[in-house]
Amino acid sequence: MLVTLASLILPSILYAAYRDYHNFISLGPGGTPQTVAGYLRITFLRLFALRNPYLPAPTPLHLRFSKGYLSNSVLSRRIGPRPEVTGIAPHRQTTEKGSPKNYGALVAAIRELHSRHPNRLRINTSCFEKFSTGLFSVNKVNRTCNGEVCHAHPSDGSLHLTLHPADARIVLEAGWGERHPLARGGWCTRFVPLGFLMIYAPRSEEELTTVMHIVTAAAGWVGGEPLNAIKDEGGEKAGYGMKDEKSHWPRVATMMRQR
């Protein structure tokens, strides 16, 4: 009886595991090796994944009265429903993916931000993902992986970054992203910080501008000082506030058209 039952159930379990493994592989390279061992590690970590990644994390006591870097700006609500997202590492959009043109514009905008603040920021391979373009803060005031501010994903056009809790709340409530499944604090900070978010792939020039304001806020949080506290190489105040987007992002609005 038990043998018969096992012979009926076991093939279904093995097939489900086979499909799940191939779904893991199909997400492409990320922070976890694309091996059976990597898959088993992620399968274990699913036990600790957030049940609702859209809810803001509780604010740590020492930051309860601390303002973020988007506090003086108002993000308009992202148009349309949220895209579908899956995985842990990799953690990717599966719908509304960014096109290669849009991804190229996003990377160009990240490099543009670095060029405005070469003494505050640097470009390198992502410390979290180990392969994609990453933006890093020279000053590492708030812990991430080696001071990483953000990294972009070529497979879907989304990006990951770390924000001040107040800014994370603004972004989540406006629908621009969601928390990483392991961004729950405690022992999970060995994998990602509490404020680690996915920002959805920008779909238009306007959305790219908004995303870059969020990236700028992330750079302020990781470096411990807003980027508008210094001047760029040309001596012009580099604020990047939402009200200043036309004067401080003259090239961002045309990047998607140029590619």
PDB file of all heavy atoms in Angstrom, residues 70-104:
ATOM      1  N   LEU A  70      14.278  61.640  -0.026  1.00  0.00           N
ATOM      2  CA  LEU A  70      13.175  61.958  -0.928  1.00  0.00           C
ATOM      3  C   LEU A  70      12.072  62.704  -0.198  1.00  0.00           C
ATOM      4  O   LEU A  70      11.026  62.975  -0.763  1.00  0.00           O
ATOM      5  CB  LEU A  70      12.573  60.673  -1.523  1.00  0.00           C
ATOM      6  CG  LEU A  70      13.363  59.950  -2.604  1.00  0.00           C
ATOM      7  CD1 LEU A  70      12.684  58.620  -2.946  1.00  0.00           C
ATOM      8  CD2 LEU A  70      13.513  60.783  -3.854  1.00  0.00           C
ATOM      9  N   SER A  71      12.294  63.041   1.044  1.00  0.00           N
ATOM     10  CA  SER A  71      11.235  63.597   1.879  1.00  0.00           C
ATOM     11  C   SER A  71      10.698  64.919   1.368  1.00  0.00           C
ATOM     12  O   SER A  71       9.538  65.256   1.595  1.00  0.00           O
ATOM     13  CB  SER A  71      11.737  63.772   3.317  1.00  0.00           C
ATOM     14  OG  SER A  71      12.099  62.520   3.863  1.00  0.00           O
ATOM     15  N   ASN A  72      11.521  65.709   0.695  1.00  0.00           N
ATOM     16  CA  ASN A  72      11.072  67.005   0.191  1.00  0.00           C
ATOM     17  C   ASN A  72      10.528  66.921  -1.227  1.00  0.00           C
ATOM     18  O   ASN A  72      10.241  67.936  -1.856  1.00  0.00           O
ATOM     19  CB  ASN A  72      12.226  68.012   0.238  1.00  0.00           C
ATOM     20  CG  ASN A  72      12.660  68.309   1.652  1.00  0.00           C
ATOM     21  OD1 ASN A  72      11.836  68.355   2.555  1.00  0.00           O
ATOM     22  ND2 ASN A  72      13.947  68.508   1.854  1.00  0.00           N
ATOM     23  N   SER A  73      10.416  65.708  -1.746  1.00  0.00           N
ATOM     24  CA  SER A  73       9.905  65.505  -3.098  1.00  0.00           C
ATOM     25  C   SER A  73       8.665  64.642  -3.027  1.00  0.00           C
ATOM     26  O   SER A  73       8.465  63.886  -2.087  1.00  0.00           O
ATOM     27  CB  SER A  73      10.960  64.834  -3.976  1.00  0.00           C
ATOM     28  OG  SER A  73      12.161  65.563  -3.978  1.00  0.00           O
ATOM     29  N   VAL A  74       7.842  64.754  -4.016  1.00  0.00           N
ATOM     30  CA  VAL A  74       6.639  63.935  -4.085  1.00  0.00           C
ATOM     31  C   VAL A  74       6.711  63.096  -5.353  1.00  0.00           C
ATOM     32  O   VAL A  74       6.678  63.636  -6.446  1.00  0.00           O
ATOM     33  CB  VAL A  74       5.364  64.795  -4.085  1.00  0.00           C
ATOM     34  CG1 VAL A  74       4.140  63.907  -4.192  1.00  0.00           C
ATOM     35  CG2 VAL A  74       5.293  65.655  -2.828  1.00  0.00           C
ATOM     36  N   LEU A  75       6.823  61.797  -5.194  1.00  0.00           N
ATOM     37  CA  LEU A  75       6.816  60.905  -6.350  1.00  0.00           C
ATOM     38  C   LEU A  75       5.376  60.685  -6.793  1.00  0.00           C
ATOM     39  O   LEU A  75       4.541  60.282  -5.995  1.00  0.00           O
ATOM     40  CB  LEU A  75       7.443  59.547  -5.994  1.00  0.00           C
ATOM     41  CG  LEU A  75       8.916  59.354  -6.329  1.00  0.00           C
ATOM     42  CD1 LEU A  75       9.775  60.304  -5.519  1.00  0.00           C
ATOM     43  CD2 LEU A  75       9.329  57.910  -6.080  1.00  0.00           C
ATOM     44  N   SER A  76       5.106  60.960  -8.042  1.00  0.00           N
ATOM     45  CA  SER A  76       3.779  60.643  -8.552  1.00  0.00           C
ATOM     46  C   SER A  76       3.611  59.132  -8.578  1.00  0.00           C
ATOM     47  O   SER A  76       4.584  58.391  -8.688  1.00  0.00           O
ATOM     48  CB  SER A  76       3.607  61.210  -9.961  1.00  0.00           C
ATOM     49  OG  SER A  76       4.577  60.667 -10.837  1.00  0.00           O
ATOM     50  N   ARG A  77       2.389  58.678  -8.472  1.00  0.00           N
ATOM     51  CA  ARG A  77       2.151  57.238  -8.451  1.00  0.00           C
ATOM     52  C   ARG A  77       2.473  56.634  -9.815  1.00  0.00           C
ATOM     53  O   ARG A  77       2.127  57.191 -10.855  1.00  0.00           O
ATOM     54  CB  ARG A  77       0.706  56.935  -8.074  1.00  0.00           C
ATOM     55  CG  ARG A  77       0.443  55.442  -7.940  1.00  0.00           C
ATOM     56  CD  ARG A  77      -0.781  55.126  -7.135  1.00  0.00           C
ATOM     57  NE  ARG A  77      -0.873  53.698  -6.918  1.00  0.00           N
ATOM     58  CZ  ARG A  77      -0.237  53.040  -5.963  1.00  0.00           C
ATOM     59  NH1 ARG A  77       0.519  53.698  -5.115  1.00  0.00           N
ATOM     60  NH2 ARG A  77      -0.364  51.743  -5.826  1.00  0.00           N
ATOM     61  N   ARG A  78       3.123  55.506  -9.798  1.00  0.00           N
ATOM     62  CA  ARG A  78       3.449  54.810 -11.043  1.00  0.00           C
ATOM     63  C   ARG A  78       2.159  54.373 -11.725  1.00  0.00           C
ATOM     64  O   ARG A  78       1.255  53.837 -11.089  1.00  0.00           O
ATOM     65  CB  ARG A  78       4.332  53.591 -10.743  1.00  0.00           C
ATOM     66  CG  ARG A  78       4.791  52.808 -11.966  1.00  0.00           C
ATOM     67  CD  ARG A  78       5.654  51.646 -11.516  1.00  0.00           C
ATOM     68  NE  ARG A  78       6.107  50.834 -12.627  1.00  0.00           N
ATOM     69  CZ  ARG A  78       5.432  49.831 -13.163  1.00  0.00           C
ATOM     70  NH1 ARG A  78       4.240  49.517 -12.668  1.00  0.00           N
ATOM     71  NH2 ARG A  78       5.932  49.132 -14.162  1.00  0.00           N
ATOM     72  N   ILE A  79       2.083  54.570 -13.016  1.00  0.00           N
ATOM     73  CA  ILE A  79       0.873  54.266 -13.771  1.00  0.00           C
ATOM     74  C   ILE A  79       0.772  52.762 -14.013  1.00  0.00           C
ATOM     75  O   ILE A  79       1.745  52.101 -14.396  1.00  0.00           O
ATOM     76  CB  ILE A  79       0.878  55.009 -15.118  1.00  0.00           C
ATOM     77  CG1 ILE A  79       0.881  56.525 -14.874  1.00  0.00           C
ATOM     78  CG2 ILE A  79      -0.319  54.620 -15.969  1.00  0.00           C
ATOM     79  CD1 ILE A  79       1.050  57.343 -16.119  1.00  0.00           C
ATOM     80  N   GLY A  80      -0.419  52.225 -13.800  1.00  0.00           N
ATOM     81  CA  GLY A  80      -0.669  50.819 -14.096  1.00  0.00           C
ATOM     82  C   GLY A  80      -0.365  49.899 -12.936  1.00  0.00           C
ATOM     83  O   GLY A  80       0.180  50.310 -11.908  1.00  0.00           O
ATOM     84  N   PRO A  81      -0.721  48.622 -13.094  1.00  0.00           N
ATOM     85  CA  PRO A  81      -0.451  47.638 -12.034  1.00  0.00           C
ATOM     86  C   PRO A  81       1.030  47.322 -11.929  1.00  0.00           C
ATOM     87  O   PRO A  81       1.802  47.573 -12.860  1.00  0.00           O
ATOM     88  CB  PRO A  81      -1.246  46.407 -12.505  1.00  0.00           C
ATOM     89  CG  PRO A  81      -1.278  46.541 -13.995  1.00  0.00           C
ATOM     90  CD  PRO A  81      -1.395  48.016 -14.259  1.00  0.00           C
ATOM     91  N   ARG A  82       1.403  46.783 -10.803  1.00  0.00           N
ATOM     92  CA  ARG A  82       2.786  46.359 -10.624  1.00  0.00           C
ATOM     93  C   ARG A  82       3.094  45.182 -11.548  1.00  0.00           C
ATOM     94  O   ARG A  82       2.217  44.343 -11.804  1.00  0.00           O
ATOM     95  CB  ARG A  82       3.035  45.918  -9.182  1.00  0.00           C
ATOM     96  CG  ARG A  82       2.870  47.012  -8.134  1.00  0.00           C
ATOM     97  CD  ARG A  82       3.029  46.428  -6.749  1.00  0.00           C
ATOM     98  NE  ARG A  82       2.780  47.388  -5.690  1.00  0.00           N
ATOM     99  CZ  ARG A  82       3.718  48.151  -5.118  1.00  0.00           C
ATOM    100  NH1 ARG A  82       4.965  48.050  -5.545  1.00  0.00           N
ATOM    101  NH2 ARG A  82       3.406  48.997  -4.156  1.00  0.00           N
ATOM    102  N   PRO A  83       4.328  45.073 -12.035  1.00  0.00           N
ATOM    103  CA  PRO A  83       4.693  43.892 -12.814  1.00  0.00           C
ATOM    104  C   PRO A  83       4.814  42.661 -11.909  1.00  0.00           C
ATOM    105  O   PRO A  83       4.922  42.794 -10.684  1.00  0.00           O
ATOM    106  CB  PRO A  83       6.057  44.273 -13.399  1.00  0.00           C
ATOM    107  CG  PRO A  83       6.617  45.254 -12.428  1.00  0.00           C
ATOM    108  CD  PRO A  83       5.438  46.024 -11.909  1.00  0.00           C
ATOM    109  N   GLU A  84       4.787  41.495 -12.513  1.00  0.00           N
ATOM    110  CA  GLU A  84       5.010  40.269 -11.753  1.00  0.00           C
ATOM    111  C   GLU A  84       6.506  40.093 -11.522  1.00  0.00           C
ATOM    112  O   GLU A  84       7.319  40.338 -12.408  1.00  0.00           O
ATOM    113  CB  GLU A  84       4.438  39.072 -12.517  1.00  0.00           C
ATOM    114  CG  GLU A  84       2.927  39.101 -12.657  1.00  0.00           C
ATOM    115  CD  GLU A  84       2.390  37.895 -13.400  1.00  0.00           C
ATOM    116  OE1 GLU A  84       3.178  36.944 -13.637  1.00  0.00           O
ATOM    117  OE2 GLU A  84       1.203  37.893 -13.767  1.00  0.00           O
ATOM    118  N   VAL A  85       6.852  39.681 -10.316  1.00  0.00           N
ATOM    119  CA  VAL A  85       8.248  39.519  -9.909  1.00  0.00           C
ATOM    120  C   VAL A  85       8.401  38.156  -9.252  1.00  0.00           C
ATOM    121  O   VAL A  85       7.500  37.701  -8.529  1.00  0.00           O
ATOM    122  CB  VAL A  85       8.674  40.645  -8.933  1.00  0.00           C
ATOM    123  CG1 VAL A  85      10.088  40.410  -8.414  1.00  0.00           C
ATOM    124  CG2 VAL A  85       8.572  42.006  -9.605  1.00  0.00           C
ATOM    125  N   THR A  86       9.524  37.512  -9.501  1.00  0.00           N
ATOM    126  CA  THR A  86       9.744  36.198  -8.904  1.00  0.00           C
ATOM    127  C   THR A  86      11.206  36.040  -8.526  1.00  0.00           C
ATOM    128  O   THR A  86      12.070  36.819  -8.945  1.00  0.00           O
ATOM    129  CB  THR A  86       9.330  35.082  -9.886  1.00  0.00           C
ATOM    130  OG1 THR A  86       9.339  33.821  -9.203  1.00  0.00           O
ATOM    131  CG2 THR A  86      10.285  35.005 -11.076  1.00  0.00           C
ATOM    132  N   GLY A  87      11.489  35.018  -7.725  1.00  0.00           N
ATOM    133  CA  GLY A  87      12.859  34.686  -7.375  1.00  0.00           C
ATOM    134  C   GLY A  87      13.366  35.395  -6.135  1.00  0.00           C
ATOM    135  O   GLY A  87      12.735  36.298  -5.588  1.00  0.00           O
ATOM    136  N   ILE A  88      14.542  34.947  -5.699  1.00  0.00           N
ATOM    137  CA  ILE A  88      15.243  35.550  -4.559  1.00  0.00           C
ATOM    138  C   ILE A  88      16.620  36.030  -5.014  1.00  0.00           C
ATOM    139  O   ILE A  88      16.992  37.168  -4.816  1.00  0.00           O
ATOM    140  CB  ILE A  88      15.366  34.546  -3.394  1.00  0.00           C
ATOM    141  CG1 ILE A  88      13.983  34.284  -2.782  1.00  0.00           C
ATOM    142  CG2 ILE A  88      16.333  35.054  -2.327  1.00  0.00           C
ATOM    143  CD1 ILE A  88      13.987  33.293  -1.650  1.00  0.00           C
ATOM    144  N   ALA A  89      17.378  35.140  -5.604  1.00  0.00           N
ATOM    145  CA  ALA A  89      18.677  35.483  -6.178  1.00  0.00           C
ATOM    146  C   ALA A  89      18.948  34.482  -7.300  1.00  0.00           C
ATOM    147  O   ALA A  89      19.436  33.389  -7.000  1.00  0.00           O
ATOM    148  CB  ALA A  89      19.778  35.442  -5.126  1.00  0.00           C
ATOM    149  N   PRO A  90      18.563  34.838  -8.532  1.00  0.00           N
ATOM    150  CA  PRO A  90      18.118  36.138  -8.997  1.00  0.00           C
ATOM    151  C   PRO A  90      16.688  36.479  -8.557  1.00  0.00           C
ATOM    152  O   PRO A  90      15.877  35.606  -8.296  1.00  0.00           O
ATOM    153  CB  PRO A  90      18.171  36.016 -10.520  1.00  0.00           C
ATOM    154  CG  PRO A  90      18.945  34.797 -10.820  1.00  0.00           C
ATOM    155  CD  PRO A  90      18.751  33.903  -9.649  1.00  0.00           C
ATOM    156  N   HIS A  91      16.434  37.778  -8.526  1.00  0.00           N
ATOM    157  CA  HIS A  91      15.130  38.353  -8.195  1.00  0.00           C
ATOM    158  C   HIS A  91      14.780  39.247  -9.386  1.00  0.00           C
ATOM    159  O   HIS A  91      15.430  40.266  -9.609  1.00  0.00           O
ATOM    160  CB  HIS A  91      15.276  39.170  -6.906  1.00  0.00           C
ATOM    161  CG  HIS A  91      14.039  39.857  -6.447  1.00  0.00           C
ATOM    162  ND1 HIS A  91      14.024  41.180  -6.053  1.00  0.00           N
ATOM    163  CD2 HIS A  91      12.760  39.409  -6.287  1.00  0.00           C
ATOM    164  CE1 HIS A  91      12.806  41.517  -5.666  1.00  0.00           C
ATOM    165  NE2 HIS A  91      12.023  40.460  -5.805  1.00  0.00           N
ATOM    166  N   ARG A  92      13.776  38.864 -10.192  1.00  0.00           N
ATOM    167  CA  ARG A  92      13.574  39.510 -11.487  1.00  0.00           C
ATOM    168  C   ARG A  92      12.101  39.760 -11.802  1.00  0.00           C
ATOM    169  O   ARG A  92      11.209  39.049 -11.325  1.00  0.00           O
ATOM    170  CB  ARG A  92      14.144  38.633 -12.609  1.00  0.00           C
ATOM    171  CG  ARG A  92      15.647  38.387 -12.541  1.00  0.00           C
ATOM    172  CD  ARG A  92      16.439  39.641 -12.867  1.00  0.00           C
ATOM    173  NE  ARG A  92      17.854  39.368 -12.926  1.00  0.00           N
ATOM    174  CZ  ARG A  92      18.699  39.502 -11.899  1.00  0.00           C
ATOM    175  NH1 ARG A  92      18.229  39.915 -10.731  1.00  0.00           N
ATOM    176  NH2 ARG A  92      19.982  39.238 -12.041  1.00  0.00           N
ATOM    177  N   GLN A  93      11.868  40.777 -12.642  1.00  0.00           N
ATOM    178  CA  GLN A  93      10.560  40.990 -13.240  1.00  0.00           C
ATOM    179  C   GLN A  93      10.324  39.915 -14.301  1.00  0.00           C
ATOM    180  O   GLN A  93      11.234  39.579 -15.064  1.00  0.00           O
ATOM    181  CB  GLN A  93      10.491  42.350 -13.944  1.00  0.00           C
ATOM    182  CG  GLN A  93      10.246  43.525 -13.050  1.00  0.00           C
ATOM    183  CD  GLN A  93      10.121  44.821 -13.833  1.00  0.00           C
ATOM    184  OE1 GLN A  93      10.678  45.815 -13.410  1.00  0.00           O
ATOM    185  NE2 GLN A  93       9.398  44.847 -14.943  1.00  0.00           N
ATOM    186  N   THR A  94       9.104  39.437 -14.388  1.00  0.00           N
ATOM    187  CA  THR A  94       8.765  38.486 -15.450  1.00  0.00           C
ATOM    188  C   THR A  94       7.750  39.079 -16.432  1.00  0.00           C
ATOM    189  O   THR A  94       7.481  38.481 -17.471  1.00  0.00           O
ATOM    190  CB  THR A  94       8.200  37.187 -14.862  1.00  0.00           C
ATOM    191  OG1 THR A  94       7.066  37.484 -14.043  1.00  0.00           O
ATOM    192  CG2 THR A  94       9.257  36.475 -14.026  1.00  0.00           C
ATOM    193  N   THR A  95       7.186  40.246 -16.109  1.00  0.00           N
ATOM    194  CA  THR A  95       6.303  40.964 -17.031  1.00  0.00           C
ATOM    195  C   THR A  95       6.771  42.420 -17.111  1.00  0.00           C
ATOM    196  O   THR A  95       7.487  42.896 -16.222  1.00  0.00           O
ATOM    197  CB  THR A  95       4.834  40.923 -16.573  1.00  0.00           C
ATOM    198  OG1 THR A  95       4.720  41.550 -15.277  1.00  0.00           O
ATOM    199  CG2 THR A  95       4.324  39.489 -16.486  1.00  0.00           C
ATOM    200  N   GLU A  96       6.375  43.103 -18.182  1.00  0.00           N
ATOM    201  CA  GLU A  96       6.752  44.498 -18.401  1.00  0.00           C
ATOM    202  C   GLU A  96       8.264  44.699 -18.322  1.00  0.00           C
ATOM    203  O   GLU A  96       8.756  45.689 -17.758  1.00  0.00           O
ATOM    204  CB  GLU A  96       6.061  45.423 -17.413  1.00  0.00           C
ATOM    205  CG  GLU A  96       4.546  45.445 -17.529  1.00  0.00           C
ATOM    206  CD  GLU A  96       3.904  46.495 -16.642  1.00  0.00           C
ATOM    207  OE1 GLU A  96       4.368  47.651 -16.645  1.00  0.00           O
ATOM    208  OE2 GLU A  96       2.953  46.143 -15.934  1.00  0.00           O
ATOM    209  N   LYS A  97       9.009  43.778 -18.897  1.00  0.00           N
ATOM    210  CA  LYS A  97      10.457  43.882 -18.879  1.00  0.00           C
ATOM    211  C   LYS A  97      10.919  45.075 -19.712  1.00  0.00           C
ATOM    212  O   LYS A  97      10.292  45.437 -20.710  1.00  0.00           O
ATOM    213  CB  LYS A  97      11.092  42.605 -19.434  1.00  0.00           C
ATOM    214  CG  LYS A  97      10.848  41.358 -18.606  1.00  0.00           C
ATOM    215  CD  LYS A  97      11.553  40.168 -19.225  1.00  0.00           C
ATOM    216  CE  LYS A  97      11.348  38.908 -18.424  1.00  0.00           C
ATOM    217  NZ  LYS A  97      12.059  37.752 -19.017  1.00  0.00           N
ATOM    218  N   GLY A  98      12.016  45.659 -19.286  1.00  0.00           N
ATOM    219  CA  GLY A  98      12.586  46.754 -20.054  1.00  0.00           C
ATOM    220  C   GLY A  98      13.253  46.241 -21.324  1.00  0.00           C
ATOM    221  O   GLY A  98      13.853  45.162 -21.333  1.00  0.00           O
ATOM    222  N   SER A  99      13.166  46.986 -22.393  1.00  0.00           N
ATOM    223  CA  SER A  99      13.806  46.613 -23.654  1.00  0.00           C
ATOM    224  C   SER A  99      15.311  46.854 -23.543  1.00  0.00           C
ATOM    225  O   SER A  99      15.776  47.585 -22.659  1.00  0.00           O
ATOM    226  CB  SER A  99      13.235  47.453 -24.791  1.00  0.00           C
ATOM    227  OG  SER A  99      13.592  48.816 -24.619  1.00  0.00           O
ATOM    228  N   PRO A 100      16.108  46.256 -24.440  1.00  0.00           N
ATOM    229  CA  PRO A 100      17.546  46.548 -24.455  1.00  0.00           C
ATOM    230  C   PRO A 100      17.837  48.040 -24.578  1.00  0.00           C
ATOM    231  O   PRO A 100      18.778  48.554 -23.975  1.00  0.00           O
ATOM    232  CB  PRO A 100      18.043  45.765 -25.671  1.00  0.00           C
ATOM    233  CG  PRO A 100      17.097  44.615 -25.794  1.00  0.00           C
ATOM    234  CD  PRO A 100      15.759  45.183 -25.405  1.00  0.00           C
ATOM    235  N   LYS A 101      17.010  48.755 -25.344  1.00  0.00           N
ATOM    236  CA  LYS A 101      17.184  50.203 -25.488  1.00  0.00           C
ATOM    237  C   LYS A 101      16.972  50.906 -24.149  1.00  0.00           C
ATOM    238  O   LYS A 101      17.767  51.779 -23.760  1.00  0.00           O
ATOM    239  CB  LYS A 101      16.195  50.746 -26.518  1.00  0.00           C
ATOM    240  CG  LYS A 101      16.285  52.264 -26.708  1.00  0.00           C
ATOM    241  CD  LYS A 101      15.214  52.782 -27.660  1.00  0.00           C
ATOM    242  CE  LYS A 101      13.841  52.754 -26.999  1.00  0.00           C
ATOM    243  NZ  LYS A 101      12.814  53.444 -27.829  1.00  0.00           N
ATOM    244  N   ASN A 102      15.931  50.523 -23.440  1.00  0.00           N
ATOM    245  CA  ASN A 102      15.652  51.150 -22.148  1.00  0.00           C
ATOM    246  C   ASN A 102      16.716  50.805 -21.116  1.00  0.00           C
ATOM    247  O   ASN A 102      17.093  51.643 -20.285  1.00  0.00           O
ATOM    248  CB  ASN A 102      14.272  50.727 -21.648  1.00  0.00           C
ATOM    249  CG  ASN A 102      13.147  51.354 -22.441  1.00  0.00           C
ATOM    250  OD1 ASN A 102      13.383  51.998 -23.458  1.00  0.00           O
ATOM    251  ND2 ASN A 102      11.921  51.149 -21.991  1.00  0.00           N
ATOM    252  N   TYR A 103      17.192  49.562 -21.151  1.00  0.00           N
ATOM    253  CA  TYR A 103      18.270  49.173 -20.224  1.00  0.00           C
ATOM    254  C   TYR A 103      19.531  49.985 -20.522  1.00  0.00           C
ATOM    255  O   TYR A 103      20.203  50.465 -19.599  1.00  0.00           O
ATOM    256  CB  TYR A 103      18.567  47.680 -20.339  1.00  0.00           C
ATOM    257  CG  TYR A 103      19.814  47.275 -19.588  1.00  0.00           C
ATOM    258  CD1 TYR A 103      19.817  47.197 -18.200  1.00  0.00           C
ATOM    259  CD2 TYR A 103      21.000  46.992 -20.269  1.00  0.00           C
ATOM    260  CE1 TYR A 103      20.973  46.853 -17.503  1.00  0.00           C
ATOM    261  CE2 TYR A 103      22.151  46.642 -19.581  1.00  0.00           C
ATOM    262  CZ  TYR A 103      22.142  46.576 -18.204  1.00  0.00           C
ATOM    263  OH  TYR A 103      23.277  46.243 -17.518  1.00  0.00           O
ATOM    264  N   GLY A 104      19.841  50.152 -21.796  1.00  0.00           N
ATOM    265  CA  GLY A 104      21.008  50.951 -22.160  1.00  0.00           C
ATOM    266  C   GLY A 104      20.886  52.382 -21.683  1.00  0.00           C
ATOM    267  O   GLY A 104      21.871  52.986 -21.231  1.00  0.00           O
TER     268      GLY A 104
END
